[in-house]
């Protein structure tokens, strides 16, 4: 039998989950409500579902392009961030570098800077370099801004990998690259999954840099959604449809990687 | 053949873990590094493996100077105390990685692993991952990983210490059997003297980063090179007694204790006698008289603790002379006995330096 305390925790958990899910439920609901039902003063509970808002997002707001831009920029940035983070966090975790702790904290502290402080110089630099409103420019910013946290997070996971296992690999004749690729990478599965999720989600939702740097060609989802609010009008239905479409890839990514987060936590490396 | 030449290791923090070790390990030999925790055994082994860089001296493996060679190119295999298996690979992959990395085909490598698995009795485990295996099974996989390579030498760092007692004894026998079968040079690290004495062709006793003695197990036990070795080996430990050297040989409180292997001279000596070489006779007929204070039965033997009568401190390292007796030898607690020693088994040490006098090393 479960103790009363345990039951109380269960109830609390359900309540909290409901609290978080409620707005999502509302957004999904709004995205398929007819505009009249949305704008009605009283809540409308029964209505004819419509795909109108989704169509509107694509037809009027070129949502397909924003979706593609976001996909290209965020996936590339996440991938590059992860590759770089993998190597540098390994170096900071393992190699006998003087002041590795200090270094990783310094790197992380870059992340504490307010975004605007970085956005302005980037804007000026990119102007000179002709990289305003380009995919490459956005990827560089996201990698640069996301890397510190990714390195710091991944380093923590890597320090938990027993040294013996790597040493066994060295004696087995593996070089550094092979050790990272064939031993460290599979063994840091959970760490990589967590780091990749954080990086992806941050980049996917990022607004400030995209606002400064993109105009038309490289416009990302959050920026495009913001355009659905103009001086006279807030297109609640279209926004909701767009938000749902923005949410879906995130949910997919988290679901895909979550499996790896759990797997590997109980791997029997030692004893 | 492995040669360590004035091998020295000082860690970055200034710890001098290994101080100028000279050692020749013969081909096919099973040699054990034995010593208390922190004496530098693991460091020495890791230096041979190439996992630590020597700060002085040289390492030769089969006439090749490998002092600055990568671990992977030294052709040595290591068995770790923690087993250090790759958790994301099956037992088979664990065992074959070192073969495929060196260019052997997957098929050949698997065949080789099968052969070794058969010797170790682990054929059924090959498709399992380490997480699904027991400690003893992991130990065998780790051993198998070393064996498939047919390396110049196995390096083992306390490989049995994570196993429970029964399994440890079983694996110890297994190691002995494997070594007698294949005669692969093995450097074995342990702090367990039983393991060292049972397994080894020769034992290297270390203390504070310095080799104290290198000899076969019998020699180590019967003719320790100094007081440290004498004290470290044997359980219960050896009796050290205060003695003096005369022209007639060693004496305790003026009474001669025997020939002392012909050592003559003058001055203080420490006389070392193992518990099983302590003999009881009628009071007055031994070297000195004592009183049996208490006993500890242990399997087939019983240890008797004898307090020396008189005021002088005779026993150097504790309050009693410890004698190891047959379980059925009649003894009475509180009885007085004359204590004497088996003459040929007496060890003499310089009272100041602790170095053995009887065998001269
Ligand atoms: N990586 C290291 N850095 C600094 N000191 C170390 C390191 N490894 C071991 N030592 C020190 O070196 C000495 C010998 O250690 P070790 O070789 O592990 O001894 P053993 O295996 O005989 O117990 C100890 O004093 C230990 O604290
Ligand atoms: Mg050790």
């Amino acid at each position: 039998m479960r103790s009363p305390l345990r039951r109380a925790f269960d109830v609390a958990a359900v309540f909290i989950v409901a609290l978080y899910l409620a707005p999502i439920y509302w957004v999904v609901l709004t995205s398929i409500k007819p505009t009249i039902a949305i704008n009605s003063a009283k809540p409308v509970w029964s209505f004819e579902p419509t795909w109108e808002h989704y169509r509107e997002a694509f037809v009027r707001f070129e949502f397909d392009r924003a979706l593609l831009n976001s996909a290209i920029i965020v996936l590339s940035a996440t991938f590059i961030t992860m590759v770089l983070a993998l190597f540098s966090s390994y170096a900071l975790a393992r190699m006998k570098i003087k002041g590795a702790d200090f270094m990783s904290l310094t790197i992380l502290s870059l992340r504490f800077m307010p975004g605007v402080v970085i956005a302005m110089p980037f804007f000026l630099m990119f102007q000179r370099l002709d990289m305003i409103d380009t995919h490459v420019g956005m990827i560089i910013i996201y990698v640069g801004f996301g890397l510190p946290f990714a390195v710091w997070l991944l380093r923590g996971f890597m320090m938990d990998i027993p040294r013996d296992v790597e040493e066994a690999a060295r004696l087995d004749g593996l070089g550094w690259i092979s050790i990272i690729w064939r031993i460290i990478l599979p063994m840091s599965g959970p760490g990589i999954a967590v780091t990749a999720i954080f990086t992806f989600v941050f980049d996917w939702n990022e607004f400030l840099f995209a606002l400064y740097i993109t105009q038309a060609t490289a416009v990302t989802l959050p920026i495009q959604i913001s355009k659905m609010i103009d001086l006279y009008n807030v297109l609640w239905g279209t926004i909701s449809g767009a938000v749902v479409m923005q949410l879906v890839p995130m949910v997919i990514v988290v679901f895909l990687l979550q499996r790896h987060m759990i797997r590997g936590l109980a791997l029997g490396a030692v004893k | 053949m492995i040669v360590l030449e004035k091998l020295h290791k000082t860690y970055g923090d200034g710890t001098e873990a290994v101080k100028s070790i000279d050692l020749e390990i013969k081909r096919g030999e099973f040699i054990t590094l034995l010593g208390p925790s922190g004496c530098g055994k693991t460091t020495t082994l890791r230096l041979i493996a190439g996992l630590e860089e020597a700060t002085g001296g040289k390492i030769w493996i089969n006439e090749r100077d490998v002092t600055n060679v990568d671990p992977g190119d030294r052709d040595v295999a290591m068995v770790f105390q923690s087993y250090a298996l790759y958790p994301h690979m099956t037992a088979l992959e664990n065992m074959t990685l070192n073969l495929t990395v060196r260019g052997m085909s997957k098929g050949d490598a698997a065949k080789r692993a099968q052969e070794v698995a058969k010797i170790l009795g682990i054929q059924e485990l090959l498709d399992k991952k380490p997480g699904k295996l027991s400690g003893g099974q992991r130990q065998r996989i780790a051993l198998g990983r070393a064996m498939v390579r047919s390396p110049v030498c196995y390096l083992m760092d306390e490989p049995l210490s994570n196993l429970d007692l029964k399994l440890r004894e079983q694996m110890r026998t297994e190691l002995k059997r494997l070594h007698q079968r294949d005669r692969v040079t093995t450097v074995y690290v342990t702090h367990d003297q039983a393991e060292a004495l049972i397994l080894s062709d020769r034992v290297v006793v270390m203390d504070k980063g310095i080799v104290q003695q290198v000899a076969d197990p019998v020699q180590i036990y019967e003719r320790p090179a100094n007081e440290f070795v004498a004290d470290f080996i044997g359980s219960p430990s050896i009796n050290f007694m205060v003695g003096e050297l005369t022209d007639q040989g060693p004496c305790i409180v003026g009474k001669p204790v025997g020939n002392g292997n012909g050592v003559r001279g003058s001055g203080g000596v420490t006389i070392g006698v193992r518990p099983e070489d302590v003999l009881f006779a009628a009071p007055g007929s031994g070297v000195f008289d004592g009183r049996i204070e208490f006993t500890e039965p242990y399997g087939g033997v019983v240890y008797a603790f004898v307090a020396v009568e008189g005021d002088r401190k005779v026993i150097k390292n504790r309050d009693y002379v410890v004698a190891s007796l047959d379980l059925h030898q009649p003894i009475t607690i509180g009885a007085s006995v004359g204590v004497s020693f088996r003459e040929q088994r007496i060890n003499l040490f310089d009272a100041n330096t602790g170095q053995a006098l009887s065998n001269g090393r």
Side-chain angles (χ1 to χ4, degrees):
Chain A
M1 279 306 288
R2 294 192 152 180
S3 71
L5 189 67
R6 184 64 211 268
R7 281 185 101 93
F9 274 122
D10 287 351
V11 172
V14 169
F15 180 72
I16 290 168
V17 170
L19 208 63
Y20 275 91
L21 285 181
I24 294 173
Y25 168 76
W26 193 252
V27 166
V28 173
L29 209 64
T30 309
S31 76
I32 52 172
K33 268 188 194 175
T35 309
I36 300 194
I38 296 173
N39 290 340
S40 126
K42 273 186 285 174
V44 176
W45 293 109
S46 71
F47 54 83
E48 190 84 7
T50 169
W51 294 107
E52 187 51 40
H53 303 309
Y54 289 88
R55 187 169 328 123
E56 180 99 341
F58 281 103
V59 175
R60 246 180 83 187
F61 291 95
E62 294 180 307
F63 206 72
D64 45 345
R65 193 169 67 190
L67 202 61
L68 189 67
N69 282 345
S70 267
I72 291 171
I73 292 167
V74 174
L75 286 178
S76 312
T78 305
F79 180 76
I80 295 170
T81 304
M82 290 310 294
V83 172
L84 295 179
L86 184 66
F87 284 92
S88 45
S89 61
Y90 179 76
L92 283 172
R94 273 297 194 272
M95 297 182 172
K96 286 169 190 154
I97 300 174
K98 277 219 172 77
D101 279 326
F102 177 74
M103 246 199 280
S104 39
L105 200 69
T106 311
I107 293 174
L108 180 67
S109 69
L110 294 178
R111 187 56 193 273
F112 302 155
M113 255 190 285
V116 213
V117 174
I118 303 174
M120 268 318 287
F122 261 113
F123 179 77
L124 296 172
M125 276 194 292
F126 278 14
Q127 226 169 15
R128 285 281 175 102
L129 295 169
D130 245 351
M131 290 215 292
I132 298 283
D133 203 19
T134 59
H135 293 100
V136 179
M138 287 305 292
I139 292 170
I140 290 175
I141 289 194
Y142 284 170
V143 170
F145 200 62
L147 201 50
F149 183 63
V151 169
W152 181 80
L153 198 61
L154 210 47
R155 176 173 182 254
F157 281 97
M158 291 207 173
M159 293 206 296
D160 285 344
I161 296 178
R163 233 168 236 275
D164 285 359
V165 177
E166 276 169 68
E167 292 177 343
R170 285 179 71 191
L171 280 156
D172 270 353
L174 274 68
W176 285 118
I177 305 286
S178 316
I179 288 179
I180 292 180
W181 194 247
R182 300 176 70 163
I183 309 294
I184 299 298
L185 185 67
M187 279 181 77
S188 7
I192 289 177
V194 170
T195 313
I197 286 177
F198 270 99
T199 308
F200 177 87
V201 169
F202 177 85
D203 292 351
W204 188 254
N205 291 330
E206 202 284 328
F207 183 76
L208 186 70
F209 293 136
L211 185 65
Y212 271 79
I213 305 299
T214 66
Q215 286 153 0
T217 16
V219 143
T220 56
L221 279 183
I223 300 299
Q224 200 64 0
I225 291 175
S226 74
K227 288 183 181 166
M228 295 167 189
I229 305 170
D230 60 29
L231 273 180
Y232 313 103
N233 231 332
V234 179
L235 303 172
W236 289 119
T238 319
I239 289 177
S240 299
V243 165
V244 169
M245 287 189 282
Q246 195 193 356
L247 271 174
V248 169
M250 265 194 295
V251 172
I252 291 173
V253 166
V254 172
F255 260 102
L256 283 179
L257 292 180
Q258 184 186 307
R259 201 167 53 88
H260 295 277
M261 286 167 62
I262 296 158
R263 187 192 69 101
L265 285 179
L267 290 178
V270 292
K271 288 188 199 159
Chain B
M1 193 167 79
I2 300 170
V3 179
L4 312 184
E5 195 186 311
K6 297 200 168 45
L7 194 60
H8 198 99
K9 175 67 185 181
T10 307
Y11 281 108
D13 62 359
T15 311
E16 261 190 297
V18 170
K19 296 171 195 161
S20 193
I21 286 188
D22 282 301
L23 186 64
E24 267 189 34
I25 300 162
K26 299 188 196 77
R27 186 188 299 269
E29 190 173 32
F30 196 116
I31 200 160
T32 300
L33 308 182
L34 175 67
S37 175
C39 72
K41 310 178 293 286
T42 297
T43 304
T44 309
L45 200 72
R46 291 170 58 84
L47 284 166
I48 301 174
L51 295 172
E52 298 291 348
E53 253 174 78
T55 48
K58 280 193 161 30
I59 302 166
W60 303 80
I61 296 179
N62 285 346
E63 274 89 52
R64 184 165 71 114
D65 180 355
V66 297
T67 316
N68 297 311
V69 171
D70 275 345
D73 298 329
R74 293 192 182 194
D75 201 11
V76 298
M78 188 150 167
V79 179
F80 292 79
Q81 180 174 3
S82 63
Y83 316 141
L85 296 173
Y86 311 126
H88 54 291
M89 298 184 189
T90 63
L92 183 74
E93 288 164 339
N94 264 281
M95 287 168 68
T96 53
L97 181 64
N98 60 63
L99 299 176
T100 50
V101 155
R102 290 183 168 83
M104 191 186 276
S105 77
K106 274 218 163 95
D108 289 350
K111 213 180 286 167
R112 172 81 187 118
Q114 299 280 359
E115 288 168 23
V116 170
K118 210 160 146 197
I119 298 168
L120 291 170
I122 50 172
Q123 297 106 303
E124 280 75 45
L125 310 178
L126 288 181
D127 55 352
K128 296 215 168 70
K129 290 193 177 165
K132 294 253 184 300
L133 302 175
S134 72
Q137 290 171 328
R138 286 179 204 177
Q139 170 72 81
R140 278 167 199 268
I141 307 292
L143 214 56
R145 178 169 66 180
M147 286 170 65
V148 291
R149 286 172 55 183
S150 315
V152 171
C153 153
Y154 298 142
L155 306 173
M156 305 192 184
D157 191 357
E158 314 222 5
L160 309 185
S161 57
N162 280 335
L163 302 175
D164 58 41
L165 190 65
K166 264 273 167 301
L167 205 52
R168 197 183 317 162
E169 283 177 4
Q170 201 180 318
M171 279 309 290
R172 193 171 64 193
T173 311
E174 178 97 10
L175 284 178
K176 182 103 186 170
R177 177 181 73 89
L178 286 172
H179 184 253
Q180 283 178 349
R181 205 190 94 108
D182 302 329
R183 288 269 155 212
V184 179
T185 313
T186 306
V187 186
Y188 188 96
V189 162
T190 183
H191 64 265
D192 178 348
Q193 47 170 308
E195 261 174 40
L197 297 180
I198 288 169
L199 288 169
S200 320
D201 295 318
R202 283 195 302 158
V203 179
V204 180
V205 182
M206 293 177 66
D207 183 39
K208 301 193 178 84
I210 295 170
V211 171
Q212 303 293 323
Q213 185 172 13
V214 185
D216 64 64
V218 176
Q219 275 251 303
I220 290 275
Y221 187 78
E222 293 193 339
R223 290 289 170 232
N226 56 39
E227 286 185 27
F228 174 82
V229 177
D231 190 41
F232 187 74
I233 306 282
S235 170
S237 60
I238 196 165
N239 298 294
F240 284 132
M241 286 160 291
V242 182
E244 58 275 351
L245 204 54
T246 68
D247 291 339
Q248 274 74 52
C251 298
I252 294 175
V253 207
K255 280 262 190 89
V257 294
N259 180 31
N261 296 320
V263 179
R264 297 289 178 271
S266 61
V269 286
T270 301
I271 298 171
V273 182
R274 298 226 170 262
E276 62 270 28
D277 301 321
V278 174
L279 305 170
F280 288 170
S285 67
V287 176
F288 50 77
D289 286 347
R291 216 179 81 93
I292 299 175
E293 294 286 329
F294 58 94
T295 60
E296 287 177 352
Y298 181 75
V301 294
V302 56
Y303 304 129
F305 292 75
V306 181
V308 180
E309 280 172 12
D311 303 331
R312 278 185 63 183
K313 173 128 176 100
V314 173
I315 312 303
K316 240 180 126 175
N317 56 335
R318 56 192 163 218
D319 295 335
Y320 306 97
V321 179
V322 181
S324 171
L325 309 168
D326 188 276
L327 188 61
H328 300 291
Q329 180 168 340
I331 43 172
T332 324
I333 291 174
S336 278
V337 288
V339 178
S340 64
F341 313 108
R342 206 166 269 135
E343 207 176 308
Q344 312 78 14
R345 302 288 295 272
I346 289 172
N347 285 288
L348 299 180
F349 304 95
D350 186 305
N352 298 315
T353 64
Q355 293 302 311
L357 294 173
S358 40
N359 67 358
R361 186 134 71 144

